[in-house]
Amino acid sequence: MKISVESAVKILLQDQVVALPTETVYGLAGRIDSEKALHLIFSTKQRPFFDPLIVHVRDKVQAQELTLEWTPIAEALANAFWPGPLTLVLRKSARISDLITSGLERVGLRCPNHPLALEVLEKLGEPFAAPSANLFGRTSPTTAEHVESEFQGKVPVLDGGPCPIGIESTVVLLDQTQVAILRKGHIKAQDIESVLKSHHLEFQWKTQVSALESPGHMKHHYMPAKPLFWVEGSWKEQPLLEKLNNSLRSLPQSVEGVQLRKPTQIRSYSELVLPDHAEQAARLLYSELRRLSSLDSDCLVFFVRKNHLHEDWDAILERLRKASAAQILSS
Ligand code: TXA
Ligand code: MG
């Protein structure tokens, strides 16, 4: 069911959940002070409680109220990139429940750059938590129709058309002087570095991050309805089909609780073709994974090309690697 901003706010005030657009992907929103809504987010997505939720705020002031430590680095990054696709992971205040952070002391905060999401935040007058509006481990939605099909029309959706960025926000963990990228995205390490340098802020990149600091990072994620194979090297059709079937036979039924949805045999595949320009590719990535999964072929194949080996493609490749059931390397 598609709804208006007013209905979305009303539903949120009634402790229910709504799907809404952000500039990255559609989110499944619930009020942060409603335990009922937070539980509904987890149950609707079939998401395990160890995977923390991102809290969406209207502005910097609202974010500051939710943290114990609004550092100079957080201030500089929020000024440079909010509203926008950057999630800051900071020490949480008592207003943030353990359900949101999976018991961690830090909370992920972001101010989304989408007029409808901002309007909801404005009219609601308080923050909402919102993971991507898809079943756990599956492809994120970038249109209202994706959300409707994901939850079979059971979740009300605020339709804002296709999401302009198309992949989830960059997630950064901030200490007083250390910055770690937990999830790559549209905003890159060098964008962050140049902002911090221009403010003469001392910082080091932290590359060793413990699983405890970065939960929710499963081996498989973003998985389409049919298995996707990551293929390196150049292959003729027959040898590739053989290789795909060999690989299929050795795959388990599920990994870390995410079903691989294996066909009995692979007779044909659909190739995931993306534009050369990384930003255009990101915008199309998830809708193409969904579209190709609805075709008659038995699986999807992504051929990794030379032009993908560029840092602009890192965030997309990170997702495609996790979305893949297996990798076929050059012979
Ligand atoms: O673009 C986005 O970030 C979208 C839109 C809807 O805003 N949201 C999104 O949420 O991608 P979700 O739940 O699908 O991914 C959130 C991920 C978690 O799996 C985890 O890896 C990281 O963000 N995260 C959230 N809170 C964290 C925390 N307190 N500490 C460490 N990582 C956290
Ligand atoms: Mg997600």
Side-chain angles (χ1 to χ4, degrees), residues 45 47 131-132 134 140 168 183 221-222:
K45 280 185 60 94
R47 179 178 175 121
S132 51
N134 51 273
S140 303
E168 304 81 353
R183 180 173 71 187
H221 212 119
Y222 320 107

Side-chain angles (χ1 to χ4, degrees), residues 11 33 44 52 73 82 84 106 110 119 130 148 155 157 183 192 231 281 289 297 310 321:
I11 295 169
D33 57 359
T44 307
I73 290 181
W82 281 5
R106 293 195 177 97
R110 101 173 181 96
E119 207 181 325
E148 299 214 292
V155 173
V157 193
R183 180 173 71 187
I192 291 170
V231 179
L289 286 177
S297 52
H310 184 275
R321 227 175 260 121

Side-chain angles (χ1 to χ4, degrees), residues 1-2 19 26 44 46 133-135 138-157 225 261 286-287 289-291 293-294:
M1 187 190 33
K2 292 196 180 166
Y26 275 70
T44 307
Q46 297 166 22
N134 51 273
L135 293 171
R138 300 274 157 213
T139 308
S140 303
T142 54
T143 67
E145 289 71 29
H146 293 165
V147 179
E148 299 214 292
S149 86
E150 189 83 3
F151 301 118
Q152 284 132 29
K154 290 182 191 131
V155 173
V157 193
R261 300 189 184 168
Y286 292 141
S287 56
L289 286 177
R290 281 173 190 267
R291 189 182 67 79
S293 297
S294 71

